[in-house]
């Protein structure tokens, strides 16, 4: 006997430390109150139905060529890719409960897919939790995080546990690579952290950007290594500022972190314009977040002016706060009628 269950799992941003974390420096991640929702309803014919109604796209870019042709690029591929996480998550959830029962899944997202907000991890976490709960079973969060990380590794070939940890547990997490493992320490903020997230279509993948930084490091170690180490120092200072609730210092450190990421070559002109527009409109600090190459930036601000300034540059905007609970079942009576 099964039920109709709706689950939500949060996305995340990286406040400090992206790229440097690949070389053993710490990073600080924050789960945000923007969610992937998965509703699961058991079917009695054993089939799987997937209805991905609202996987927001990071954007549409249109170019008009000299000969008048119009070329449109969408992130449609990102939606298809999100569905491969759903498929693998279902297989892993079926192994966990020890049986294969058909379900209808309804998947919605408040975040753009493929923009660096951890949507694929949130999809994996929410799909596993919804399936397990719809069949009347329980799963503890450590096991949920482990299985969702396995989904990411199986689909991508390799993955850090950061995004699946954030989507499962929520909160603020200080990530410290230690040899082959990663230590994750929960951090208690001294104040509320108001964020505006701006996003644009991505022009490069995380894999390409990480490889590009590695090439730079290998060819100019004396120049690049100090930059990476300084990003590590910024993350440690950023954690202290966060614990003390010193938003001004947090903002200043974000600005410096962005400058260093730009110097590594992972920003884009549009991301830079959004970052500077946010500061001119009164944000305490702003930086790209995630791998760069388009995708997302964050501004430390609760001002509508900052949102408008980012939109004027052509970015789409989400305003976000901390999610401190992570993945959970929600009481959403309206959804079951949709599937
Ligand atoms: C991407 O969100 C963060 C990077 O540091 C890559 C990684 O840590 O795997 C760029």
């Amino acid at each position: 006997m099964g039920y109709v269950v709706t689950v939500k799992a949060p996305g995340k941003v990286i406040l400090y430390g992206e790229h440097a974390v690949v070389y053993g420096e710490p990073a600080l991640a924050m789960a945000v109150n923007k969610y992937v929702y998965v509703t699961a309803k058991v079917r009695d014919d054993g089939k799987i139905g997937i209805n991905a109604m609202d996987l927001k796209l990071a954007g549409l870019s249109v170019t008009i060529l000299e000969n008048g042709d119009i070329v449109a690029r969408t992130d449609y591929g990102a939606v298809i890719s999100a569905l491969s996480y759903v498929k693998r998550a279902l297989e892993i959830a079926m192994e966990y409960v020890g049986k294969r029962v058909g379900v209808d899944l309804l998947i919605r997202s408040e975040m753009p897919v493929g923009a660096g907000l951890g949507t694929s991890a949130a999809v994996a976490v929410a799909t596993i939790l919804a399936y397990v709960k719809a069949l009347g079973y329980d799963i503890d969060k450590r096991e949920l995080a482990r299985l969702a990380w396995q989904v990411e590794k199986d689909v991508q070939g390799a993955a850090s546990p950061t995004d699946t940890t954030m989507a499962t547990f929520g909160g603020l997490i200080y990530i410290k690579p230690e040899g082959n493992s990663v230590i994750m320490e929960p951090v208690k903020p001294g104040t509320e952290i108001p964020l505006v997230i701006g996003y644009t279509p991505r022009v490069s993948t995380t894999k390409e950007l990480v490889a590009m930084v590695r090439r730079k490091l290998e060819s100019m170690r004396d120049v690049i290594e100090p930059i990476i180490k300084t990003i590590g120092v910024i993350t440690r200072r950023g954690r202290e500022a966060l614990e003390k609730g010193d938003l001004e210092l947090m903002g200043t450190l974000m600005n410096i972190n962005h400058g260093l990421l730009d110097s590594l070559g992972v920003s884009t002109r549009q991301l830079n314009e959004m970052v500077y527009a946010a500061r001119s409109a009164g944000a305490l600090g702003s930086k790209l977040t995630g791998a760069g190459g388009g995708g997302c930036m964050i501004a430390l601000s609760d001002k509508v002016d900052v949102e408008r300034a980012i939109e004027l540059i052509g970015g789409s905007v989400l305003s976000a706060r901390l999610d401190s609970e992570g993945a959970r079942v929600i009481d959403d009576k309206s959804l079951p009628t949709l599937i």
Side-chain angles (χ1 to χ4, degrees), residues 14-15 48 50-51 72 75 99 123 148 173 200 305:
I14 295 182
L15 295 179
I48 306 286
I50 298 176
N51 182 354
D75 281 355
K99 53 181 155 184
V123 164
I173 299 192
T200 57
D305 288 0

Side-chain angles (χ1 to χ4, degrees), residues 12 14 17-22 116 160 162-163 206 210 289-291:
K12 69 95 196 29
I14 295 182
E18 50 275 272
H19 286 287
V21 72
V22 174
S160 100
T162 309
D163 288 7
T206 299
V210 169
T289 183

Side-chain angles (χ1 to χ4, degrees), residues 95-328:
E95 276 166 35
Y96 175 79
V97 297
K99 53 181 155 184
R100 191 190 185 289
V101 174
V103 281
D104 274 321
L105 291 182
L106 172 67
I107 303 169
R108 300 171 303 150
S109 173
E110 294 174 343
M111 300 170 282
V113 291
L117 297 176
T119 333
S120 58
V123 164
V125 167
T127 301
I128 295 173
L129 185 57
Y131 187 85
V132 168
K133 290 285 186 182
L135 267 66
Y137 290 84
D138 268 327
I139 182 165
D140 77 32
K141 284 206 163 180
R142 278 174 169 274
E143 185 66 358
L144 177 59
R146 193 184 68 76
L147 295 182
W149 184 25
Q150 190 61 48
V151 172
E152 288 227 300
K153 286 189 285 190
D154 291 349
V155 175
Q156 295 166 198
S160 100
T162 309
D163 288 7
T164 39
T165 301
M166 301 310 297
T168 305
F169 293 98
L172 281 148
I173 299 192
Y174 184 77
I175 301 149
K176 225 168 65 186
E178 291 273 344
N180 285 333
S181 64
V182 184
I183 295 175
M184 303 223 180
E185 295 173 5
V187 175
K188 219 170 151 265
T191 183
E192 199 185 327
I193 306 146
L195 284 185
V196 175
I197 302 171
Y199 57 94
T200 57
R202 289 193 70 177
V203 291
S204 312
T205 64
T206 299
K207 200 170 166 185
E208 286 161 0
L209 292 154
V210 169
M212 188 265 287
V213 172
R214 186 175 295 282
R215 281 196 300 278
K216 280 203 173 124
L217 176 66
E218 282 165 1
S219 64
M220 287 188 282
R221 189 165 288 274
D222 52 342
V223 176
I224 302 297
E225 202 166 64
I227 296 175
I228 287 170
K229 293 240 177 301
T230 304
I231 294 178
V233 176
I234 289 169
T235 303
R236 289 183 204 99
R237 294 284 300 266
R239 175 185 178 164
E240 285 166 20
L242 177 70
E243 285 171 334
K244 285 194 193 124
D246 186 341
L247 288 176
E248 266 194 37
L249 179 55
M250 279 186 69
T252 303
L253 291 165
M254 277 183 184
N255 294 347
I256 301 170
N257 195 163
H258 180 78
L260 294 174
L261 286 165
D262 193 21
S263 76
L264 292 176
V266 298
S267 193
T268 61
R269 180 174 170 172
Q270 195 179 14
L271 269 180
N272 283 350
E273 284 175 0
M274 287 157 71
V275 161
Y276 286 106
R279 287 182 209 166
S280 301
L284 292 173
S286 55
K287 64 182 275 291
L288 72 83
T289 183
C296 290
M297 52 77 68
I298 47 174
L300 193 58
S301 170
D302 56 5
K303 292 196 166 96
V304 176
D305 288 0
V306 170
E307 296 182 14
R308 293 295 93 81
I310 294 169
E311 281 168 347
L312 276 175
I313 306 293
S316 306
V317 164
L318 293 169
S319 87
R321 295 287 179 277
L322 176 68
D323 169 274
S324 42
E325 284 181 60
R328 60 226 189 235

